[in-house]
Amino acid sequence: MAAQPVARPVAHPVDEKLPALKMATSGLQHVAAMYAGVVAPPLIVGAAVGLSGTDLTFLTGACLFTAGLATFLQTLGFWKIGARLPFVNGVTFAGVAPMTAIVASAKDKSDALPMIFGAVIVAGLLGFLAAPFFSRAVRFFPPVVTGSVITLIGVSLLPVAFGWAQGPNPAAHDYGSTTYLTLAGITLLLVLLLRRFTRGFVKQIAVLLGLVLGTLIAIPFGVTDFTPVTKAAVVGFPTPFHFGAPTFHLAAILSMCVVMVVSMTESTADMLALGEIVERPSDEKVIAAGLRADTLGSALSPFFNGFMCSAFAQNIGLVAMTRIRSRFVVAAGGGFLVLMGLCPMAASLIAVVPRPVLGGAGVVLFGSVAASGIQTLVRAGLEKDNNVLIVAVSLAVGIIPITAPGFYHAFPGTAKIVLDSGISTGCVTAVILNLLFNHLGKGREAEDVTHPMEAGAELTPAH
C-alpha cells in the first residue's frame, strides 16, 4: 500500500508569502496610504528650522529611509524584537509639536536638529529598556487616555495646515492671499471628491493624488518651484549626522520621553487592534517585542537624520479593507521606502508641492488623526462622569498652547519646551487623572453616573 504524502502545515495568513507582483503592488499601496503622513513631520520641522530646499529634501529622504528600516524591524524582526505583524512604521505625529517647541527654544536654529536627535536617541533607548514593563502597564492607558492624546495630536497639527494654506512666508505681503487660499480649497475639494467617488487603490491614495493634481493646477499661478528636483541627485545616501552630532539637553530629552510614552501607547493600541483583524491576538509577549522594534527604530533613526518612529494606524485600516494580512507585503513596502530614501530625486518631489496645496491636503490628513482619537473616545465609556472629566480637563490643558500661545511665557525656557507641547501636557494630565479617578479608590464609584451637565435630581439612591 503506497504511503500517504505528509500534509505540510498551512502557514498563517500573516506569515504567507504572496507572488512577487502581488507582493509589490500591495506593498506600494501601503506606502501610498502612509506617504503623506511620513513626509509631513520633516516638512513641518524643517520649515520651522528654516532649511533650504536641498536640506529639506535631504531630511524628507532620511525620514523615508529610516521609516523603511523601522518597518523591517517590525515586520521581519529578530530575536525578541518585532511584533512580526503587518505594521508600517514611520515618523510619529506625536513628536511634531514638541520638536517645533525645541526649535523655538533654540537660540541658534542650526542647533535645533542636533538637540532633537540627541533627545530622540535617549528616549528610544529608555523606551527599549522599558518595553517589557510597559507591556504590563497597558491597563493604565485605556481608551479614555489614548483617545484624548490622539485627538490632541490632530488638533495640535491643524494650525500647521492652516498656516501652510496661507503661503510659504508669513512675512510676505501676499501671505494669506486669495490665490493661496483658493489653491488650498481646490486641493481639499479634490481630496474629498476622490475619497467620495473612487474606489479601491485610487481611494486609498486620494491624498497623494490630491497633492499631485493641486501642484499641477498651481503651475499657472507661478507658485510651483521645480528647483529642488533639478538640483537633486538620482542616487544618494542619508549621510550620518548630516546636520551635526547629537547634543543632549535635559528639557528636550524629557519632552521626547513624554512623546515616547505617547508613541508606545499608540503602538500598543494598534497592535491590539491589528491582532484582532489578522486573527492572531497580540499578547504581552507580542506587544513587548513590537515596542522593542518601535523604540530601537527610534533610537537608530537619528543616526541617519530621522525622527522618532511609531506604527501607522491608517495602514491597519488598509489591512482590514483588503484582507491581505501578510507581513511580508508590508516588508516589501518597507523596501520601497528605503529605495525612495536612497533616491533624493524621488524624495525631492514633495518639496515641489506648494505650501497652500499641502495645507489643503493637511486639513484632511490632520483632521483624520483627530477623528481617529474621537473614534477611540467613543469606546472610552463616556457615560461615566469620571471619564468625561478626564477627557474634558486633558483636552483643555492640551489646547492651551494653541488657543493661548503666550500662556506659559513666565516659565523658564526649559520648562516651556514641555509646556508648549499640548500633546505632552495633555497626555500627562490624562494619565494622572485616570490614575486618580479610575484606579485610586476604584471601588467607591463602580456604577455609571449621570453626565456632569445633567440635573442632579436624576441621581437615584442606588448611585
Side-chain angles (χ1 to χ4, degrees):
M1 186 174 181
Q4 295 294 326
V6 178
R8 294 182 179 180
V10 179
H12 190 282
V14 168
D15 299 317
E16 184 182 4
K17 294 182 179 179
L18 304 180
L21 181 60
K22 190 173 184 180
M23 189 96 72
T25 54
S26 299
L28 274 174
Q29 186 167 241
H30 275 282
V31 172
M34 57 86 74
Y35 181 84
V38 81
V39 300
L43 283 174
I44 298 170
V45 177
V49 174
L51 295 182
S52 65
T54 303
D55 279 342
L56 191 60
T57 297
F58 183 93
L59 186 65
T60 304
C63 287
L64 289 168
F65 179 78
T66 54
L69 296 182
T71 299
F72 285 152
L73 283 176
Q74 195 66 271
T75 54
L76 303 179
F78 67 95
W79 184 57
K80 297 181 180 180
I81 298 171
R84 293 170 175 82
L85 290 171
F87 258 127
V88 174
N89 273 43
V91 182
T92 175
F93 276 105
V96 173
M99 287 191 291
T100 53
I102 292 172
V103 173
S105 71
K107 293 181 180 179
D108 186 346
K109 298 302 181 187
S110 63
D111 296 332
L113 287 176
M115 287 174 62
I116 291 171
F117 293 148
V120 171
I121 291 172
V122 174
L125 293 176
L126 292 176
F128 184 85
L129 296 175
F133 306 101
F134 193 92
S135 65
R136 300 190 205 112
V138 177
R139 66 192 184 95
F140 296 115
F141 296 90
V144 70
V145 173
T146 56
S148 299
V149 173
I150 296 171
T151 302
L152 278 172
I153 292 170
V155 172
S156 297
L157 291 176
L158 278 172
V160 174
F162 302 148
W164 283 347
Q166 296 179 78
N169 184 7
H173 71 278
D174 60 348
Y175 186 71
S177 67
T178 55
T179 299
Y180 288 148
L181 296 182
T182 300
L183 287 174
I186 290 173
T187 304
L188 173 59
L189 180 62
L190 287 170
V191 173
L192 293 176
L193 291 175
L194 287 167
R195 289 290 299 177
R196 174 63 182 86
F197 295 107
T198 60
R199 301 175 62 183
F201 182 62
V202 175
K203 185 175 183 178
Q204 287 297 318
I205 62 172
V207 172
L208 186 61
L209 289 176
L211 291 173
V212 173
L213 294 174
T215 300
L216 294 175
I217 292 172
I219 292 176
F221 293 91
V223 296
T224 305
D225 181 12
F226 290 95
T227 304
V229 176
T230 59
K231 291 185 177 181
V234 177
V235 180
F237 185 79
T239 311
F241 302 131
H242 174 80
F243 297 100
T247 58
F248 304 93
H249 299 262
L250 181 59
I253 290 171
L254 290 175
S255 180
M256 296 313 294
C257 282
V258 173
V259 175
M260 179 57 72
V261 172
V262 175
S263 176
M264 293 171 76
T265 303
E266 288 182 56
S267 291
T268 299
D270 290 341
M271 278 183 269
L272 292 170
L274 186 59
E276 295 296 323
I277 290 171
V278 302
E279 299 176 355
R280 181 184 277 181
S282 299
D283 55 17
E284 187 178 301
K285 182 179 178 181
V286 171
I287 291 173
L291 292 178
R292 287 193 189 97
D294 269 3
T295 53
L296 180 61
S298 296
L300 293 175
S301 185
F303 286 86
F304 300 100
N305 312 284
F307 300 135
M308 189 176 291
C309 296
S310 180
F312 268 56
Q314 56 263 50
N315 292 84
I316 297 176
L318 189 58
V319 172
M321 184 192 74
T322 63
R323 303 300 296 167
I324 298 175
R325 295 176 280 180
S326 171
R327 60 192 173 99
F328 296 105
V329 163
V330 177
F336 284 118
L337 288 171
V338 169
L339 290 176
M340 292 170 72
L342 295 176
C343 179
M345 184 172 288
S348 69
L349 290 175
I350 194 65
V352 172
V353 181
R355 290 291 170 83
V357 173
L358 279 173
V363 171
V364 177
L365 188 64
F366 303 152
S368 297
V369 177
S372 297
I374 294 171
Q375 287 177 327
T376 303
L377 287 174
V378 169
R379 307 192 303 270
L382 295 185
E383 71 279 1
K384 296 184 178 182
D385 277 354
N386 288 350
N387 287 345
V388 171
L389 290 172
I390 292 169
V391 175
V393 176
S394 58
L395 287 180
V397 171
I399 291 173
I400 287 174
I402 302 173
T403 56
F407 191 81
Y408 300 111
H409 73 278
F411 284 76
T414 52
K416 286 168 64 177
I417 291 179
V418 178
L419 295 173
D420 283 341
S421 167
I423 297 169
S424 300
T425 55
C427 176
V428 171
T429 301
V431 170
I432 293 174
L433 291 180
N434 179 60
L435 288 172
L436 177 64
F437 283 107
N438 291 333
H439 290 274
L440 300 178
K442 188 176 179 181
R444 292 179 301 157
E445 198 173 323
E447 301 93 345
D448 293 351
V449 296
T450 59
H451 191 283
M453 297 304 291
E454 293 177 353
E458 297 180 17
L459 288 171
T460 65
H463 288 98

